[in-house]
Amino acid sequence: MHSEDSRLPDGVPAESQGGTPSPLPEHQSADALETIEFRPVLELIAAHAVGPLGAARIRARRPTDDLSWIGAELDRVAEVAGLFRRGDHLLAEPIPDVSAAVARLRIQGSVLEGVEFAALLGVFVAARLVHDDLRRIRETAPLAAELIRTLPDKTLERRLEQSVDADGNLLDSASSRLAAARKEVQSARQRLLRRLDTLLRGMEAGSTPADASVTVRGNRYVIPVRRDSRNRPPGIVHDESGSAGTLFIEPSDTIELGNALREAQAEEERESLRVLRELTDLLRPHLSGIRDIVEMCIAVDELVARARYAVAVAGERPAVAAAPSGLTIVNGRHPLLLAGPADVVPFDLKLEPDERTLLVSGPNTGGKTVLLKAVGLAAALAGSGIIPPVGEGSQLPIFRQFYADIGDRQSISASLSTFSAHVRMLRRILDESDDGTLVLLDEIGSGTDPVEGAALASATLVTLTSRRSMTLATTHLGALKELAGQTRGIVNASLQFDAATMTPTYRLLKGVPGRSYGLAIARRLGVADTVLADAEARVPDGERRLDALLATVEERERELRIQQQVLEERSIDLESLDARLAAQNQAQSAREAELKRREKDAEREGRK
């Protein structure tokens, strides 16, 4: 699998069917992915994973241009998503991070800790469940079943089960010598405690603090005795209280018993270490198999998460082709908007192979920036082996580079104005873009004199179009709206606006530029009529004529949409009428058949 850190910590590699593709150049695409909010979308997908390692694998995904790998990944996700839609499932099990333990197994002479064996046991149990479920769906989901890996011998799992508990503590059943050593520790401790308790009770009242009891200081059992006590027992002082009024003494009579306890504990520790070493040596020859089942569990968790996401967003597997190629998005939606509470208006967009630049215009808050990011995210997700929120029939190019100039790039620390920052980004895009590049430009040409800004924007778009880069740009500049009629490969589009209510509809209309509605919105917000009349008079004649033409086109499109809606309603009515007539005809035919049957029956009765 491709990722910028596609290896588990401490040297456990991530594997995938078809190998690991190379990521896109980090310096060219990382900034664009950040701009279109690719990471937050990955977080949404990672939330569908059942374990932290599967979620981390999703967060590490980045686009690649390895078309065969992308196709195989999308096929596998679509296959499992199909399982879920049919009411079946694929089991994913969370596993602990055992990368450090696996790395230490590679070192001869190393000894794993009990908690590491408990974690490995968890992996063995999870792997067996995942393995069995992959075998179950082998016929219905053969691509997912390719993730099956050979399980280690069952005796390893049984040995760990009898050796450690869930917290990593060694069980008595791990070794008969360990059980005997622990029994001796318990006996030695009980003898020591009984003797200390007898000494403590035999002391005079006032020689010990209130509620005095046997305690431990410096790993030795002691009794508390007041410093000023005259019948203080002889022994070793191990500590004193914070007020220095109480001494913690190991009486001379119990030193031998304490030594015996320490010897028993030392024997238990030696046997525990021997058991841990034995278990480590038992697992070390199976290192490769352990790494395989770890990868199987993580890969299945990640696959199931991607499939669950595809089902959740009603995503369908898009066709993919190497750029430059056409682009078709059916029922496209922005992933982050889908995660919010508001209803999302889907969009359809089709660019033919010779249509390389889409220039989107329209009023503010109309959804132009959202459209740019949604298209960029769809391409980036597909290039990462993730099904985006698009419908059936979608086709996405696989790009080698992503560039996005969206938002205010002003930088005080770098002494860059907004316009200077945009120009610097444009220079970089023009230096590096080619026919495998997706370029997203928001409000191109803004931030400076409109005439010069429009000239720079026009030259940029024409250059990118000639290079066959796929470019999506938004603008309010009227001069740019005429560019599509002058340059082959550039097409206009608009996000529609309801002129009556002054609210966006978010419906994408290709082939027609949009109006900015600046003065209309100002009128709705209460700007004085005299000011607006003066402003309208100052609008250049060319801009005014273009705006009037666009208004006519919008009105005509609205009328056509209403007519189409009426025709669709009439078509539905006709279909309903046809259905009723068919039902009536069927009922009439049934009645006629019944009458004929009765007529024949009557004729037979008459003959009798």
Side-chain angles (χ1 to χ4, degrees):
M1 167 184 313
H2 151 62
S3 76
E4 60 191 5
D5 50 355
S6 60
R7 298 177 69 84
L8 296 173
D10 296 319
V12 180
E15 299 171 358
S16 177
Q17 290 298 121
T20 303
S22 300
L24 299 181
E26 190 69 21
H27 72 283
Q28 294 176 342
S29 299
D31 183 61
L33 294 178
E34 189 71 22
T35 300
I36 64 176
E37 301 176 279
F38 184 67
R39 288 182 184 273
V41 176
L42 291 182
E43 288 292 343
L44 291 177
I45 303 166
H48 291 274
V50 298
L53 297 181
R57 185 70 67 80
I58 290 173
R59 295 189 194 101
R61 282 191 171 252
R62 295 294 180 273
T64 178
D65 59 353
D66 187 332
L67 198 60
S68 61
W69 179 87
I70 293 169
E73 288 292 301
L74 293 177
D75 286 341
R76 190 175 290 113
V77 177
E79 180 184 76
V80 177
L83 277 182
F84 294 157
R85 287 170 175 144
R86 294 193 299 270
D88 201 348
H89 72 282
L90 173 59
L91 180 66
E93 285 286 313
I95 62 170
D97 186 356
V98 295
S99 54
V102 171
R104 289 176 60 195
L105 277 177
R106 299 168 56 188
I107 304 172
Q108 290 296 326
S110 62
V111 178
L112 300 187
E113 302 292 336
V115 291
E116 293 174 310
F117 286 115
L120 286 169
L121 176 57
V123 170
F124 285 0
V125 173
R128 192 166 297 280
L129 295 173
V130 170
H131 178 275
D132 291 348
D133 210 47
L134 286 173
R135 288 176 58 87
R136 179 186 65 82
I137 63 162
R138 181 176 288 173
E139 297 297 326
T140 55
L143 297 178
E146 291 175 358
L147 297 175
I148 292 177
R149 296 294 181 268
T150 303
L151 294 174
D153 194 283
K154 180 68 174 177
T155 56
L156 296 178
E157 185 178 332
R158 287 196 293 265
R159 181 73 173 94
L160 292 180
E161 286 175 345
Q162 71 180 17
S163 299
V164 293
D165 62 15
D167 296 324
N169 300 308
L170 284 177
L171 299 171
D172 289 351
S173 54
S175 159
S176 58
R177 288 166 57 183
L178 180 60
R182 287 177 171 175
K183 185 175 181 181
E184 178 56 31
V185 168
Q186 185 66 18
S187 298
R189 181 181 290 110
Q190 290 301 323
R191 290 193 296 268
L192 174 59
L193 291 176
R194 284 196 297 269
R195 180 57 180 158
L196 287 171
D197 192 57
T198 299
L199 290 174
L200 188 60
R201 289 199 307 271
M203 295 185 66
E204 295 179 356
S207 296
T208 60
D211 300 326
S213 62
V214 177
T215 186
V216 177
R217 289 294 187 275
N219 293 325
R220 303 289 289 193
Y221 283 91
V222 295
I223 57 175
V225 180
R226 296 178 62 86
R227 182 183 290 274
D228 56 1
S229 174
R230 295 184 177 180
N231 64 340
R232 189 171 72 194
I236 301 172
V237 177
H238 287 279
D239 199 2
E240 63 181 23
S241 64
S243 63
T246 301
L247 302 177
F248 294 94
I249 298 174
E250 181 181 14
S252 300
D253 289 352
T254 64
I255 289 177
E256 288 300 322
L257 293 175
N259 292 342
L261 174 60
R262 287 298 303 140
E263 290 176 6
Q265 290 173 334
E267 175 59 27
E268 179 192 4
E269 292 171 1
R270 283 192 293 271
E271 181 58 19
S272 296
L273 179 59
R274 189 196 67 79
V275 171
L276 293 176
R277 189 182 303 279
E278 180 183 272
L279 292 175
T280 304
D281 292 340
L282 183 65
L283 293 181
R284 185 168 283 119
H286 302 277
L287 173 61
S288 177
I290 293 172
R291 294 173 64 178
D292 282 349
I293 63 172
V294 168
E295 171 58 26
M296 177 180 69
C297 291
I298 298 175
V300 169
D301 187 11
E302 190 219 18
L303 172 61
V304 167
R306 286 183 285 150
R308 285 174 176 159
Y309 176 76
V311 173
V313 300
E316 298 289 344
R317 193 254 200 239
V320 291
S325 63
L327 177 145
T328 302
I329 294 180
V330 179
N331 196 32
R333 289 141 295 147
H334 192 293
L336 295 180
L337 291 184
L338 279 178
D343 293 335
V344 179
V345 178
F347 67 92
D348 295 338
L349 173 60
K350 183 177 179 63
L351 292 177
E352 301 295 344
D354 60 342
E355 296 176 332
R356 306 312 300 165
T357 298
L358 184 74
L359 187 58
V360 187
S361 51
N364 289 323
T365 71
K368 299 188 300 297
T369 303
V370 170
L371 174 68
L372 295 193
K373 291 185 176 181
V375 173
L377 286 170
L381 289 171
S384 304
I386 297 170
I387 294 179
V390 297
E392 187 177 358
S394 298
Q395 177 175 330
L396 298 172
I398 298 303
F399 298 102
R400 294 188 296 273
Q401 301 180 98
F402 289 78
Y403 291 101
D405 186 17
I406 299 174
D408 186 357
R409 290 181 171 269
Q410 185 181 58
S411 173
I412 295 176
S413 62
S415 299
L416 289 176
S417 68
T418 299
F419 181 69
S420 299
H422 286 310
V423 170
R424 174 174 289 186
M425 187 64 190
L426 284 179
R427 186 190 68 186
R428 179 182 169 196
I429 292 171
L430 291 171
D431 287 344
E432 300 175 358
S433 60
D434 57 19
D435 62 359
T437 304
L438 175 65
V439 180
L440 306 173
L441 301 173
D442 193 28
E443 298 299 344
I444 184 172
S446 63
T448 188
D449 176 79
V451 175
E452 293 186 351
L456 177 61
S458 297
T460 299
L461 294 177
V462 169
T463 300
L464 291 174
T465 304
S466 66
R467 293 182 183 176
R468 296 183 57 75
S469 301
M470 181 165 285
T471 306
L472 277 70
T474 68
T475 186
H476 283 290
L477 299 175
L480 293 182
K481 299 174 184 178
E482 302 175 10
L483 196 59
Q486 303 166 357
T487 307
R488 181 177 177 82
I490 300 179
V491 292
N492 278 317
S494 59
L495 283 157
Q496 292 182 313
F497 198 76
D498 190 330
T501 62
M502 288 290 113
T503 56
T505 66
Y506 305 109
R507 293 183 65 247
L508 179 65
L509 182 63
K510 180 187 169 187
V512 179
R515 301 163 61 196
S516 293
Y517 289 94
L519 296 179
I521 293 173
R523 178 174 286 108
R524 183 178 179 84
L525 295 177
V527 176
D529 290 340
T530 55
V531 176
L532 291 172
D534 186 27
E536 288 173 348
R538 295 175 184 273
V539 175
D541 291 341
E543 292 285 342
R544 189 182 295 111
R545 286 194 298 271
L546 177 60
D547 195 64
L549 176 61
L550 292 177
T552 303
V553 171
E554 286 183 5
E555 179 62 22
R556 182 59 178 159
E557 195 276 333
R558 187 182 68 82
E559 292 174 356
L560 289 174
R561 191 168 67 251
I562 292 175
Q563 292 177 5
Q564 182 180 3
Q565 185 176 357
V566 171
L567 289 174
E568 289 177 352
E569 290 174 354
R570 288 180 178 176
S571 177
I572 292 173
D573 291 341
L574 288 174
E575 289 177 359
S576 177
L577 180 60
D578 287 343
R580 290 199 299 271
L581 288 175
Q584 290 176 1
N585 289 335
Q586 186 176 4
Q588 182 67 25
S589 298
R591 285 195 294 271
E592 291 177 355
E594 178 65 17
L595 287 175
K596 289 181 179 179
R597 184 187 64 79
R598 291 181 178 180
E599 183 179 354
K600 290 181 179 179
D601 290 346
E603 183 180 355
R604 283 197 299 269
E605 289 297 323
R607 289 175 180 173
K608 288 181 181 179

Short mmCIF file of all heavy atoms in Angstrom, two decimals, residues 159 162-163 170-186 263-278:
data_model
loop_
_atom_site.label_atom_id
_atom_site.label_comp_id
_atom_site.label_asym_id
_atom_site.label_seq_id
_atom_site.Cartn_x
_atom_site.Cartn_y
_atom_site.Cartn_z
N ARG A 159 0.24 -22.32 23.89
CA ARG A 159 1.34 -22.13 24.85
C ARG A 159 1.25 -20.75 25.50
O ARG A 159 1.46 -20.61 26.71
CB ARG A 159 2.67 -22.29 24.12
CG ARG A 159 3.89 -22.13 25.03
CD ARG A 159 4.05 -23.33 25.94
NE ARG A 159 5.30 -23.26 26.69
CZ ARG A 159 5.43 -22.76 27.91
NH1 ARG A 159 4.36 -22.29 28.54
NH2 ARG A 159 6.60 -22.74 28.52
N GLN A 162 -1.63 -20.57 28.14
CA GLN A 162 -1.37 -21.17 29.43
C GLN A 162 -0.23 -20.49 30.18
O GLN A 162 0.06 -20.84 31.32
CB GLN A 162 -1.05 -22.65 29.28
CG GLN A 162 0.30 -22.96 28.66
CD GLN A 162 0.57 -24.45 28.52
OE1 GLN A 162 -0.36 -25.26 28.60
NE2 GLN A 162 1.83 -24.82 28.33
N SER A 163 0.40 -19.48 29.52
CA SER A 163 1.57 -18.85 30.14
C SER A 163 1.32 -17.45 30.65
O SER A 163 1.93 -17.02 31.63
CB SER A 163 2.73 -18.81 29.13
OG SER A 163 3.11 -20.12 28.74
N LEU A 170 2.70 -13.63 34.23
CA LEU A 170 2.92 -15.07 34.04
C LEU A 170 1.99 -15.87 34.93
O LEU A 170 1.82 -15.56 36.11
CB LEU A 170 4.38 -15.42 34.35
CG LEU A 170 5.41 -15.03 33.28
CD1 LEU A 170 6.81 -15.38 33.76
CD2 LEU A 170 5.13 -15.71 31.96
N LEU A 171 1.39 -16.89 34.35
CA LEU A 171 0.50 -17.77 35.10
C LEU A 171 1.30 -18.90 35.75
O LEU A 171 2.39 -19.26 35.29
CB LEU A 171 -0.56 -18.36 34.17
CG LEU A 171 -1.48 -17.35 33.46
CD1 LEU A 171 -2.32 -18.06 32.41
CD2 LEU A 171 -2.35 -16.63 34.47
N ASP A 172 0.76 -19.47 36.81
CA ASP A 172 1.42 -20.62 37.44
C ASP A 172 1.55 -21.78 36.47
O ASP A 172 2.50 -22.58 36.56
CB ASP A 172 0.62 -21.07 38.67
CG ASP A 172 0.70 -20.07 39.82
OD1 ASP A 172 1.53 -19.12 39.71
OD2 ASP A 172 -0.04 -20.21 40.80
N SER A 173 0.60 -21.85 35.51
CA SER A 173 0.63 -22.96 34.56
C SER A 173 1.73 -22.81 33.53
O SER A 173 1.95 -23.71 32.72
CB SER A 173 -0.72 -23.07 33.86
OG SER A 173 -1.09 -21.82 33.28
N ALA A 174 2.45 -21.69 33.54
CA ALA A 174 3.53 -21.50 32.58
C ALA A 174 4.67 -22.47 32.84
O ALA A 174 5.40 -22.85 31.93
CB ALA A 174 4.04 -20.06 32.63
N SER A 175 4.85 -22.88 34.11
CA SER A 175 5.96 -23.78 34.46
C SER A 175 5.69 -24.37 35.83
O SER A 175 5.28 -23.67 36.76
CB SER A 175 7.28 -22.99 34.47
OG SER A 175 8.26 -23.63 35.23
N SER A 176 5.93 -25.67 35.96
CA SER A 176 5.75 -26.30 37.27
C SER A 176 6.74 -25.75 38.28
O SER A 176 6.41 -25.57 39.46
CB SER A 176 5.90 -27.82 37.14
OG SER A 176 7.19 -28.15 36.61
N ARG A 177 7.96 -25.43 37.83
CA ARG A 177 8.96 -24.85 38.74
C ARG A 177 8.55 -23.46 39.19
O ARG A 177 8.79 -23.06 40.32
CB ARG A 177 10.32 -24.81 38.06
CG ARG A 177 10.96 -26.19 37.89
CD ARG A 177 12.13 -26.16 36.93
NE ARG A 177 13.15 -25.21 37.31
CZ ARG A 177 14.25 -24.96 36.60
NH1 ARG A 177 14.43 -25.60 35.45
NH2 ARG A 177 15.13 -24.09 37.02
N LEU A 178 7.90 -22.72 38.28
CA LEU A 178 7.41 -21.39 38.65
C LEU A 178 6.31 -21.50 39.69
O LEU A 178 6.28 -20.73 40.67
CB LEU A 178 6.90 -20.66 37.41
CG LEU A 178 6.35 -19.25 37.64
CD1 LEU A 178 7.41 -18.32 38.22
CD2 LEU A 178 5.78 -18.68 36.35
N ALA A 179 5.42 -22.46 39.50
CA ALA A 179 4.35 -22.65 40.47
C ALA A 179 4.92 -23.03 41.83
O ALA A 179 4.48 -22.52 42.87
CB ALA A 179 3.38 -23.73 39.97
N ALA A 180 5.93 -23.92 41.84
CA ALA A 180 6.55 -24.33 43.12
C ALA A 180 7.27 -23.15 43.76
O ALA A 180 7.19 -22.96 45.00
CB ALA A 180 7.51 -25.48 42.88
N ALA A 181 7.97 -22.33 42.96
CA ALA A 181 8.68 -21.18 43.51
C ALA A 181 7.71 -20.19 44.12
O ALA A 181 7.97 -19.62 45.19
CB ALA A 181 9.52 -20.52 42.42
N ARG A 182 6.60 -19.97 43.47
CA ARG A 182 5.61 -19.04 44.00
C ARG A 182 4.98 -19.57 45.29
O ARG A 182 4.67 -18.80 46.21
CB ARG A 182 4.53 -18.77 42.95
CG ARG A 182 5.02 -17.89 41.82
CD ARG A 182 3.97 -17.68 40.76
NE ARG A 182 4.38 -16.66 39.79
CZ ARG A 182 3.71 -16.35 38.70
NH1 ARG A 182 2.57 -16.99 38.43
NH2 ARG A 182 4.16 -15.41 37.88
N LYS A 183 4.81 -20.87 45.34
CA LYS A 183 4.26 -21.46 46.57
C LYS A 183 5.23 -21.28 47.73
O LYS A 183 4.82 -20.98 48.86
CB LYS A 183 3.98 -22.95 46.33
CG LYS A 183 3.30 -23.64 47.49
CD LYS A 183 2.95 -25.07 47.14
CE LYS A 183 2.24 -25.75 48.30
NZ LYS A 183 1.91 -27.16 47.99
N GLU A 184 6.52 -21.42 47.44
CA GLU A 184 7.53 -21.24 48.48
C GLU A 184 7.59 -19.78 48.91
O GLU A 184 7.76 -19.48 50.11
CB GLU A 184 8.91 -21.68 47.97
CG GLU A 184 10.04 -21.48 48.96
CD GLU A 184 9.79 -22.17 50.29
OE1 GLU A 184 9.12 -23.23 50.30
OE2 GLU A 184 10.28 -21.67 51.32
N VAL A 185 7.45 -18.84 47.97
CA VAL A 185 7.41 -17.42 48.32
C VAL A 185 6.24 -17.13 49.26
O VAL A 185 6.39 -16.42 50.27
CB VAL A 185 7.31 -16.56 47.05
CG1 VAL A 185 6.97 -15.11 47.40
CG2 VAL A 185 8.60 -16.60 46.26
N GLN A 186 5.08 -17.71 48.95
CA GLN A 186 3.91 -17.49 49.78
C GLN A 186 4.12 -18.06 51.19
O GLN A 186 3.77 -17.39 52.18
CB GLN A 186 2.69 -18.14 49.11
CG GLN A 186 1.36 -17.89 49.81
CD GLN A 186 0.94 -16.44 49.79
OE1 GLN A 186 1.45 -15.66 48.98
NE2 GLN A 186 0.05 -16.06 50.68
N GLU A 263 15.31 -15.00 49.19
CA GLU A 263 15.85 -16.10 48.38
C GLU A 263 14.75 -16.77 47.56
O GLU A 263 14.95 -17.09 46.37
CB GLU A 263 16.53 -17.13 49.29
CG GLU A 263 17.83 -16.64 49.92
CD GLU A 263 18.42 -17.65 50.89
OE1 GLU A 263 17.86 -18.78 50.96
OE2 GLU A 263 19.41 -17.33 51.55
N ALA A 264 13.57 -16.95 48.18
CA ALA A 264 12.45 -17.56 47.46
C ALA A 264 12.00 -16.64 46.31
O ALA A 264 11.69 -17.11 45.20
CB ALA A 264 11.29 -17.84 48.41
N GLN A 265 11.97 -15.34 46.58
CA GLN A 265 11.58 -14.40 45.53
C GLN A 265 12.60 -14.38 44.39
O GLN A 265 12.23 -14.28 43.22
CB GLN A 265 11.43 -12.99 46.13
CG GLN A 265 10.21 -12.85 47.04
CD GLN A 265 10.18 -11.52 47.75
OE1 GLN A 265 11.23 -10.89 47.97
NE2 GLN A 265 8.99 -11.08 48.16
N ALA A 266 13.87 -14.47 44.75
CA ALA A 266 14.91 -14.50 43.72
C ALA A 266 14.77 -15.74 42.84
O ALA A 266 14.95 -15.68 41.61
CB ALA A 266 16.29 -14.45 44.36
N GLU A 267 14.43 -16.85 43.46
CA GLU A 267 14.22 -18.08 42.68
C GLU A 267 13.03 -17.93 41.74
O GLU A 267 13.06 -18.37 40.59
CB GLU A 267 14.01 -19.25 43.63
CG GLU A 267 13.67 -20.58 42.94
CD GLU A 267 14.77 -21.03 41.98
OE1 GLU A 267 15.95 -20.66 42.18
OE2 GLU A 267 14.45 -21.75 41.01
N GLU A 268 11.95 -17.27 42.24
CA GLU A 268 10.78 -17.03 41.39
C GLU A 268 11.16 -16.14 40.20
O GLU A 268 10.74 -16.38 39.07
CB GLU A 268 9.67 -16.36 42.20
CG GLU A 268 8.43 -16.06 41.37
CD GLU A 268 7.44 -15.16 42.09
OE1 GLU A 268 7.75 -14.70 43.20
OE2 GLU A 268 6.37 -14.90 41.51
N GLU A 269 11.97 -15.11 40.47
CA GLU A 269 12.38 -14.21 39.39
C GLU A 269 13.24 -14.93 38.36
O GLU A 269 13.09 -14.71 37.15
CB GLU A 269 13.14 -13.02 39.98
CG GLU A 269 12.25 -12.08 40.80
CD GLU A 269 13.07 -11.04 41.55
OE1 GLU A 269 14.32 -11.06 41.40
OE2 GLU A 269 12.49 -10.24 42.30
N ARG A 270 14.14 -15.80 38.85
CA ARG A 270 14.97 -16.56 37.92
C ARG A 270 14.13 -17.47 37.04
O ARG A 270 14.35 -17.57 35.82
CB ARG A 270 16.01 -17.38 38.69
CG ARG A 270 17.19 -16.58 39.22
CD ARG A 270 18.29 -17.49 39.71
NE ARG A 270 17.90 -18.25 40.88
CZ ARG A 270 18.05 -17.85 42.15
NH1 ARG A 270 18.61 -16.67 42.38
NH2 ARG A 270 17.66 -18.59 43.14
N GLU A 271 13.14 -18.11 37.64
CA GLU A 271 12.29 -19.00 36.86
C GLU A 271 11.39 -18.22 35.90
O GLU A 271 11.16 -18.66 34.77
CB GLU A 271 11.43 -19.86 37.80
CG GLU A 271 10.51 -20.86 37.10
CD GLU A 271 11.25 -21.84 36.21
OE1 GLU A 271 12.49 -22.02 36.37
OE2 GLU A 271 10.60 -22.44 35.32
N SER A 272 10.93 -17.05 36.32
CA SER A 272 10.12 -16.21 35.44
C SER A 272 10.93 -15.80 34.21
O SER A 272 10.45 -15.84 33.07
CB SER A 272 9.61 -14.96 36.18
OG SER A 272 8.74 -15.32 37.24
N LEU A 273 12.19 -15.40 34.45
CA LEU A 273 13.04 -15.00 33.34
C LEU A 273 13.30 -16.18 32.41
O LEU A 273 13.31 -16.03 31.18
CB LEU A 273 14.36 -14.44 33.86
CG LEU A 273 15.37 -13.99 32.81
CD1 LEU A 273 14.77 -12.90 31.92
CD2 LEU A 273 16.65 -13.51 33.46
N ARG A 274 13.46 -17.37 32.99
CA ARG A 274 13.70 -18.54 32.16
C ARG A 274 12.48 -18.84 31.29
O ARG A 274 12.61 -19.16 30.09
CB ARG A 274 14.00 -19.75 33.06
CG ARG A 274 14.48 -20.97 32.28
CD ARG A 274 14.40 -22.24 33.11
NE ARG A 274 13.01 -22.59 33.41
CZ ARG A 274 12.20 -23.20 32.55
NH1 ARG A 274 12.62 -23.50 31.33
NH2 ARG A 274 10.96 -23.49 32.91
N VAL A 275 11.28 -18.68 31.87
CA VAL A 275 10.06 -18.92 31.10
C VAL A 275 9.92 -17.90 29.97
O VAL A 275 9.59 -18.24 28.83
CB VAL A 275 8.83 -18.88 32.02
CG1 VAL A 275 7.54 -18.90 31.20
CG2 VAL A 275 8.84 -20.05 33.00
N LEU A 276 10.19 -16.63 30.27
CA LEU A 276 10.11 -15.59 29.25
C LEU A 276 11.10 -15.85 28.12
O LEU A 276 10.80 -15.66 26.94
CB LEU A 276 10.35 -14.22 29.86
CG LEU A 276 9.29 -13.71 30.85
CD1 LEU A 276 9.73 -12.39 31.46
CD2 LEU A 276 7.94 -13.56 30.17
N ARG A 277 12.29 -16.29 28.49
CA ARG A 277 13.30 -16.59 27.48
C ARG A 277 12.85 -17.79 26.63
O ARG A 277 13.02 -17.79 25.40
CB ARG A 277 14.65 -16.87 28.15
CG ARG A 277 15.81 -17.00 27.16
CD ARG A 277 17.10 -17.33 27.90
NE ARG A 277 17.40 -16.35 28.91
CZ ARG A 277 17.99 -15.17 28.66
NH1 ARG A 277 18.31 -14.85 27.42
NH2 ARG A 277 18.24 -14.33 29.64
N GLU A 278 12.28 -18.77 27.28
CA GLU A 278 11.81 -19.96 26.56
C GLU A 278 10.70 -19.58 25.58
O GLU A 278 10.68 -20.04 24.42
CB GLU A 278 11.31 -20.99 27.56
CG GLU A 278 10.80 -22.27 26.94
CD GLU A 278 10.25 -23.23 27.98
OE1 GLU A 278 11.03 -24.02 28.53
OE2 GLU A 278 9.02 -23.14 28.25
#
